[in-house]
Amino acid sequence: MKTELVFANLSGIETELLVVTAADSQTEKGADAKPKPGLLTSDAIVTAAAAAVLASGEFKAAANETLLLHAPAGLAAKRLLIVGVGNAAKATQHSVRSAAGTAVRFAKPRGIRDIAFALAEAAELPPGPCSRAAVEGALLADYDPDTYRSDRKDQSIYSFKLAALAGTDAAAVELGYAEGIIVAESQNFARELVNEPGNKLTPTILGQRAAAMAKTNGLKAEVYSTEKLHELKMGAFWSVSQGSEEPPALIVLTYEPEGYDAATYSGPVLGLVGKGITFDTGGISIKPADKMELMKYDMAGSAAMLGAMAAIGRIKPSVKVISVICSAENMPDGKAQKPGDVQIAMPFKEGEPGKSIEIINTDAEGRLVLADGLTYARQLGCTHLIDAATLTGACVVALGPVNAGGFSNDDETFEKLHKALDISGEKVWRLPLGDEYFDQIKSDIADIKNTGGRWGGASTAAQFLQVFAGDTPWIHLDIAGMAWYEDTKPFIAKGPSGFGVRSILEWVRSYEK
Ligand code: BES
Ligand code: MN
Ligand code: ZN
């Protein structure tokens, strides 16, 4: 999809589909309150073209509701599509993101290949953030997970124009537009990785894809395997990969801000740690067959970090970022680890003993690879950590496919993520950590065990990770319920979501000087 930014009057734009947003300005409540849909444009010709249908009451301007008019009077456009953003007082840039996405997904199956999307004119919808959101929504909506379909029909939109009125704050619109492209392309990169099946994306291949991405985006990349895991004494990470024919990959990407000098840099060093299980069979504690195919998305945490790093390399914030990705395949095999085995995690300091872990369930493998990933990130000098992982089914049970679970040992650090969500439009709900959860993962024979019993599974998993984050300010995102959409939404395809890329990026940017 080619994108373009134009400053023009809507009525003169030649396009197959002109899209304008509409909001419901009804403020009364109650059963009798009728919706008051109104277009978010000051263009008199567009307003006149839509007047009759808006007056009919057929269209209520609910979020992502659509209404199509052919040959709209007085417009150069062949069609006019009105997309609702819901209640006017509650509409945000995220409503605009969804509306732009809805327009693209409306057009795709209808053979419409060229769209002009009018930037909303409304006091509550600032042009900069809304430009960004509109381009993001469009590019995210254009993506379909159809890589492996031989009958793949090219239904992509060829051209997407973002149309702003002449006189709109051009600098803000241009910046938002440029950032929107970067962010959406990075998120789509994450989605492509998540969509790859286990036989096409092994840890080794993930390492190659990460290195190639790093090269394009000006990041330093190091990709290690078995030998390095042994050298670093990453006993927890290795224990997961030992049952697979596929070697593990430890991927380290580094972003250094402009003018970076290791000797004088005194800013924060942010550590982005990702779970990269390219397929999770459960290991010897093997999973049931039903829906097991979805466990190809067990590397979505690492994809989120790689997507965020791609955007960081292009947006160039003034803060150092290191991403540590721990990738392995969790398989049952003659060499696989067994319940009851004891593994020694990577020691934080040379000469210190690593924590001993009793393996209760080999399917609780994400926390094992992340344990060593977090320790390594701290050892590399990270001052703040964030990890993302499809970690527990318990988190999906608790929050559904609506919110990711968020955990943190530091309120200030979590607050920064919370603020980032206003920009990203993603949802994260904070869940508790605490000593009582730690009691659940005490082992009789080792320092800790890798499962905490039936109750509070998302929290006991997070509590396990906290042992390895130590005192370093840290956030854990459990994205098990968010990384793969089971249902189609009007603005995005079902399948890999790329969840986390936008929020992690904004969290990183919140540390800029
Ligand atoms: N990858 C799974 C978690 C998961 C479940 C992700 C559903 C996406 C959707 C993880 O490795 C796992 O198997 N967790 C176990 C932990 C249990 C054995 C303590 C779980 O949640 O059942
Ligand atoms: Mn598992
Ligand atoms: Zn897993």
Side-chain angles (χ1 to χ4, degrees):
M1 187 171 107
K2 219 177 76 214
T3 57
E4 195 186 335
L5 172 63
V6 296
F7 291 89
N9 283 329
L10 301 183
S11 48
I13 299 178
E14 282 183 29
T15 172
E16 288 181 39
L17 185 71
L18 175 66
V19 186
V20 289
T21 46
D24 173 12
S25 59
Q26 176 60 263
T27 51
E28 286 160 34
K29 293 199 176 80
D32 300 338
K34 284 210 183 66
K36 276 193 198 156
L39 297 188
L40 300 178
T41 174
S42 59
D43 189 299
I45 305 177
V46 174
T47 307
V53 77
L54 284 188
S56 74
E58 281 167 38
F59 176 79
K60 301 180 172 56
N64 307 316
E65 185 184 353
T66 51
L67 186 127
L68 180 69
L69 293 175
H70 278 258
L75 302 188
K78 287 196 190 131
R79 304 174 190 81
L80 177 65
L81 180 72
I82 309 174
V83 184
V85 297
N87 189 281
K90 290 188 200 141
T92 61
Q93 66 204 68
H94 190 55
S95 325
V96 172
R97 188 183 285 113
S98 304
T102 299
V104 166
R105 293 204 71 79
F106 180 93
K108 281 192 88 171
R110 290 177 172 81
I112 299 170
R113 294 290 166 260
D114 162 77
I115 300 183
F117 183 85
L119 185 60
E121 293 174 59
E124 317 77 46
L125 296 173
C130 287
S131 298
R132 172 180 156 175
V135 198
E136 278 176 15
L139 284 162
L140 294 173
D142 197 42
Y143 171 90
D144 268 300
D146 57 4
T147 320
Y148 292 103
R149 300 198 56 147
S150 60
D151 65 343
R152 179 178 180 188
K153 294 193 189 68
D154 187 9
Q155 293 195 337
S156 287
I157 304 298
Y158 299 152
S159 157
F160 178 88
K161 281 193 192 76
L162 176 66
L165 265 191
T168 324
D169 184 347
V173 170
E174 276 158 16
L175 183 69
Y177 168 81
E179 279 190 6
I181 294 174
I182 294 175
V183 175
E185 287 180 351
S186 304
Q187 187 172 339
N188 282 344
F189 167 67
R191 293 165 84 190
E192 274 164 24
L193 292 176
V194 173
N195 191 52
E196 292 288 359
N199 66 329
K200 303 284 183 194
L201 190 87
T202 60
T204 307
I205 299 174
L206 183 66
Q208 290 162 357
R209 301 274 286 256
M213 178 280 284
K215 200 166 175 201
T216 337
N217 296 304
L219 308 167
K220 209 170 92 192
E222 297 153 275
V223 183
Y224 304 106
S225 191
T226 311
E227 215 174 298
K228 184 76 169 183
L229 265 59
H230 292 324
E231 186 191 310
L232 292 170
K233 302 196 168 67
M234 290 182 153
F237 182 1
W238 170 249
S239 77
V240 177
S241 71
Q242 73 183 53
S244 171
E245 293 285 326
E246 290 295 337
L250 169 65
I251 306 165
V252 184
L253 303 185
T254 309
Y255 165 77
E256 289 168 353
E258 212 172 67
Y260 174 81
D261 174 1
T264 56
Y265 182 79
S266 60
V269 181
L270 307 178
L272 276 47
V273 180
K275 169 179 175 183
I277 301 299
T278 56
F279 196 83
D280 182 12
T281 64
I284 295 299
S285 315
I286 198 162
K287 288 180 181 293
D290 187 42
K291 290 272 170 71
M292 203 212 266
E293 72 279 7
L294 280 179
M295 281 302 112
K296 68 174 186 173
Y297 86 74
D298 213 17
M299 35 58 71
S302 64
M305 294 315 181
L306 292 174
M309 288 304 283
I312 289 163
R314 290 169 74 182
I315 290 180
K316 305 192 196 310
S318 62
V319 51
K320 181 171 175 178
V321 188
I322 301 175
S323 181
V324 175
I325 306 288
C326 300
S327 183
E329 195 183 55
N330 189 21
M331 295 286 277
D333 175 79
K335 290 208 176 70
Q337 70 173 331
K338 305 167 291 297
D341 285 0
V342 173
Q343 309 293 358
I344 311 296
M346 179 182 176
F348 178 55
K349 284 199 189 95
E350 184 80 50
E352 264 183 19
K355 295 262 182 238
S356 60
I357 305 166
E358 183 189 6
I359 305 299
I360 301 297
N361 188 318
T362 65
D363 198 10
E365 85 296 342
R367 65 199 75 181
L368 296 172
V369 304
L370 288 173
D372 287 343
L374 290 165
T375 301
Y376 191 45
R378 286 169 71 206
Q379 215 178 69
L380 290 174
C382 293
T383 58
H384 301 73
L385 298 167
I386 189 164
D387 76 68
T390 46
L391 205 64
T392 67
C395 191
V396 191
V397 172
L399 301 174
V402 181
N403 279 277
F407 300 81
S408 184
N409 59 0
D410 186 68
D411 291 345
E412 206 183 306
T413 305
F414 193 81
E415 188 47 33
K416 280 177 163 288
L417 177 77
H418 205 248
K419 289 219 176 80
L421 301 178
D422 289 341
I423 302 171
S424 72
E426 295 184 319
K427 288 187 176 174
V428 177
W429 199 266
R430 191 168 178 182
L431 296 172
L433 294 163
D435 293 342
E436 299 87 341
Y437 297 114
F438 185 73
D439 290 340
Q440 284 179 244
I441 55 167
K442 282 184 183 152
S443 162
D444 291 337
I445 65 148
D447 297 336
I448 45 174
K449 54 187 181 181
N450 80 329
T451 62
R454 178 135 183 231
W455 311 116
S459 285
T460 51
Q463 199 64 49
F464 182 97
L465 298 180
Q466 194 187 343
V467 171
F468 300 92
D471 297 332
T472 308
W474 152 83
I475 297 171
H476 158 57
L477 296 176
D478 192 332
I479 62 169
M482 300 305 295
W484 190 270
Y485 293 141
E486 286 188 24
D487 301 313
T488 313
K489 295 182 173 49
F491 48 89
I492 198 153
K494 69 175 177 184
S497 67
F499 183 91
V501 171
R502 301 200 303 263
S503 302
I504 293 158
L505 169 68
E506 292 311 320
W507 178 78
V508 164
R509 295 174 89 188
S510 76
Y511 285 90
E512 286 200 82
K513 337 184 250 293

